Amino acid sequence: MQKQEEQTYETKLSLTRLHFFYIVLILIGSLILMATRDWTKLDGFTEYLSVSATITSLVLGVLAIIYGFISSNSTNSSLGSVQAAAYEMKDVGSQLKELLSKGQELQEKAGSRNEELHSLIGNLRSTIDDLSTSTTHIAGTVEMLPVKIDSLRNEIFGKSVSQITPGVEAEQEAKLQTNQIQQFLSVSSIIGLAALKAIVEAKRLTKPADLEKIFKDDYSDSTAYAQGYLVASSCFGIVDFELEGGTKKVVKISFSGESDTLIEHEWSKREKSDDESSRNSISKYINKINASFTLQQSADAT
């Protein structure tokens, strides 16, 4: 109901506006007709009309000129804004182009780094394989040493005893043992030699050598390997030792002959090696050995 009333009101309003327009238009036409009929009877009307038209033209001309200036200033201002915007867009385009170039360069560098990383991983795998092969070879060599020693010893003792005096025989055996120990140490791994160096220092300081503190860290644990190497050295006749019950601490250490001196000599030789990785490993383990005994001293002091 209310909607219908609103529509009726709008219809009436539209008709009223239409009638108002007609009425105003008729009145204006009537006024023009009356002015034309009455004013044309005046003397000089055409001259007045011409003057009025001229003045009106002048006024309109002046207004047109003023409007032209205003419009021109507005146009210039707009063109200036457009030009400034164009320069800004040009700068933005240059920056985007530079950014794109840097992005491509960064992508190329990332690809190069990935290739270098893959190459390093490949080299690391190759090094690990070589290390595994070397370790296997060393283990095989160590296992064959007792057999070679027995064979060499039998060959020596197979000679005529009459040709060798007791003193010379003892000297030759000692020299043979020294040569064998030197050969054994020369093919020893870094970890094995570090284990022997640790018990040499333990013997000198009269303190136990804690293998776990030396060969175990957050990344690897070579304690079992070091212990096994000491056992192999003991079987070879280089050192005799015992482990403290339930621990990895080496106690009651005794060396045969000049074994400890030969171990020190081989250690010093490795420290002066031309192989940088070997020197770095020697430096790392000597620091760990010294640190383990320093911790023991601090514990004893407390």
Side-chain angles (χ1 to χ4, degrees):
M1 184 68 179
Q2 184 178 359
K3 186 175 182 181
Q4 186 175 2
E5 291 178 356
E6 290 179 356
Q7 291 179 351
T8 304
Y9 175 75
E10 290 179 358
T11 303
K12 291 180 178 180
L13 183 60
S14 299
L15 291 174
T16 303
R17 290 175 179 174
L18 181 61
H19 295 322
F20 178 78
F21 175 75
Y22 289 152
I23 293 171
V24 170
L25 184 62
I26 293 170
L27 289 175
I28 291 173
S30 300
L31 289 174
I32 291 173
L33 289 174
M34 290 175 64
T36 302
R37 186 189 63 183
D38 294 334
W39 290 352
T40 52
K41 296 178 180 180
L42 297 175
D43 296 333
F45 173 75
T46 56
E47 295 177 359
Y48 295 148
L49 183 61
S50 177
V51 172
S52 299
T54 302
I55 293 172
T56 304
S57 298
L58 291 174
V59 172
L60 290 176
V62 172
L63 292 177
I65 293 171
I66 295 172
Y67 177 76
F69 280 113
I70 295 173
S71 177
S72 177
N73 290 333
S74 177
T75 302
N76 291 334
S77 178
S78 299
L79 290 176
S81 300
V82 171
Q83 186 177 9
Y87 284 134
E88 290 180 359
M89 290 297 294
K90 184 178 180 181
D91 293 338
V92 171
S94 300
Q95 293 176 1
L96 289 175
K97 185 176 180 181
E98 183 179 359
L99 182 62
L100 180 60
S101 176
K102 290 183 178 179
Q104 292 176 349
E105 182 179 356
L106 182 61
Q107 185 177 2
E108 292 176 357
K109 288 183 178 179
S112 176
R113 293 293 183 271
N114 287 334
E115 292 178 359
E116 292 178 0
L117 180 60
H118 287 308
S119 177
L120 289 174
I121 292 174
N123 293 335
L124 180 60
R125 289 178 179 173
S126 177
T127 303
I128 292 173
D129 292 339
D130 293 341
L131 180 61
S132 177
T133 304
S134 300
T135 304
T136 304
H137 177 70
I138 291 172
T141 304
V142 172
E143 290 177 357
M144 291 297 296
L145 280 175
V147 178
K148 292 182 180 179
I149 292 171
D150 291 339
S151 176
L152 185 59
R153 187 172 295 174
N154 292 333
E155 183 180 352
I156 292 172
F157 283 112
K159 294 182 180 180
S160 176
V161 179
S162 60
Q163 297 178 358
I164 305 175
T165 60
V168 174
E169 181 180 1
E171 182 180 353
Q172 288 182 351
E173 286 187 357
K175 186 176 181 181
L176 177 63
Q177 184 181 13
T178 299
N179 291 335
Q180 291 170 348
I181 293 174
Q182 287 177 341
Q183 183 180 4
F184 178 85
L185 294 174
S186 66
V187 297
S188 295
S189 63
I190 297 294
I191 297 176
L193 187 61
L196 292 172
K197 173 66 175 176
I199 63 175
V200 168
E201 293 296 323
K203 177 69 175 178
R204 183 176 63 83
L205 297 172
T206 63
K207 292 183 178 294
D210 194 339
L211 299 180
E212 285 190 343
K213 290 182 179 179
I214 300 172
F215 298 101
K216 184 178 181 181
D217 54 28
D218 296 335
Y219 305 100
S220 61
D221 186 0
S222 304
T223 306
Y225 179 88
Q227 183 181 348
Y229 205 89
L230 290 179
V231 173
S233 302
S234 177
C235 295
F236 193 74
I238 295 177
V239 64
D240 189 17
F241 67 93
E242 293 182 7
L243 290 177
E244 195 172 77
T247 66
K248 300 296 182 180
K249 294 182 179 180
V250 181
V251 296
K252 295 183 180 180
I253 305 164
S254 62
F255 294 95
S256 61
E258 299 179 354
S259 298
D260 51 348
T261 304
L262 296 175
I263 292 171
E264 292 282 5
H265 177 72
E266 181 63 27
W267 186 265
S268 177
K269 182 179 176 182
R270 299 283 182 96
E271 285 181 330
K272 300 175 182 178
S273 172
D274 294 334
D275 188 358
E276 185 178 358
S277 62
S278 177
R279 296 198 306 270
N280 292 337
S281 299
I282 289 292
S283 177
K284 179 183 73 173
Y285 280 113
I286 193 62
N287 291 333
K288 287 187 174 183
I289 292 170
N290 294 334
S292 67
F293 291 118
T294 302
L295 291 175
Q296 288 189 36
Q297 292 176 357
S298 300
D300 294 341
T302 56

